[in-house]
Amino acid sequence: MELHGCNISLACFHGINFKSKSWAIFSLKEPCISFTTEAQEIPSVESPNTRDVHVVQTLTISLGQQQEQHARHHSMATVCKLSRSVLFPPQFKSLQEWFHYAFASSDIDAVDRFPCVERERTDSTSDTANVTRGRTTSTNTGKLQEHSHAREVIFALPSLQLHLKTEHLQTAKTPVVIGAPKHVVYSKYVRELLFSLFQIW
């Protein structure tokens, strides 16, 4: 099983709306989680006429490993505090405008790539109206407002990969709970960083 994406973006505001003076954003770029399980029958050591099962499980978590090698100074995961530079909060009507406002000062979020329901509905309505009037041209939506927030990076991680592998043996006989030796699970943990030093502010 494998789950991967281009960006994961989360903005946390205090209160029930987006009118807070400051907020936190959590950003992941090119995250990937992979989990595999392999089971293979092997001859039993204790009973020659039976077969045991050797199980290997692998979990891999990575950031920024899907595309070409990134620059050494690029961060693949950040936790930032943003503060608006204006006194009063904005009054937006569409979800796309709020996404653009919340992540305007982020370096690794690509919120402008998110599907916009309002824009698709507007384009569809405009196309229908143009066809009704005998025209085939479609109208384009206006540009989003630019915001200059104050950004404070709290935590950042480079491109990395975490690899956890476990191996254990399942015998054909049901193990005795009392008095029997416990099963042994062999674990191997590997960590790979693009550079060995991560930054904390």
Side-chain angles (χ1 to χ4, degrees), residues 125-137 139:
T125 305
S126 300
D127 292 342
T128 303
N130 290 334
V131 171
T132 304
R133 296 172 185 174
R135 296 180 297 176
T136 58
T137 58
T139 58

Side-chain angles (χ1 to χ4, degrees), residues 21-142:
K21 177 69 176 180
S22 302
W23 60 95
I25 59 173
F26 302 83
S27 308
L28 298 176
K29 187 173 183 179
E30 299 178 15
C32 181
I33 298 178
S34 176
F35 179 75
T36 59
T37 300
E38 180 182 356
Q40 184 179 9
E41 289 187 348
I42 60 175
S44 176
V45 178
E46 299 178 354
S47 303
N49 296 329
T50 60
R51 301 179 69 86
D52 297 336
V53 178
H54 180 248
V55 181
V56 178
Q57 294 178 319
T58 304
L59 174 65
T60 303
I61 302 175
S62 63
L63 289 174
Q65 299 284 338
Q66 301 176 31
Q67 300 180 4
E68 65 275 1
Q69 197 75 285
H70 297 276
R72 295 177 63 88
H73 62 278
H74 283 183
S75 298
M76 294 293 107
T78 57
V79 179
C80 300
K81 174 186 176 182
L82 297 185
S83 302
R84 68 170 185 264
S85 56
V86 295
L87 180 61
F88 298 101
Q91 301 294 329
F92 295 136
K93 296 182 179 180
S94 67
L95 186 60
Q96 184 192 19
E97 290 176 316
W98 280 114
F99 269 117
H100 185 75
Y101 167 77
F103 296 93
S105 300
S106 177
D107 293 335
I108 64 177
D109 291 289
V111 293
D112 291 337
R113 297 178 54 190
F114 290 176
C116 179
V117 179
E118 294 87 355
R119 181 173 54 196
E120 293 175 357
R121 186 182 298 113
T122 302
D123 292 344
S124 177
T125 305
S126 300
D127 292 342
T128 303
N130 290 334
V131 171
T132 304
R133 296 172 185 174
R135 296 180 297 176
T136 58
T137 58
S138 60
T139 58
N140 295 326
T141 57

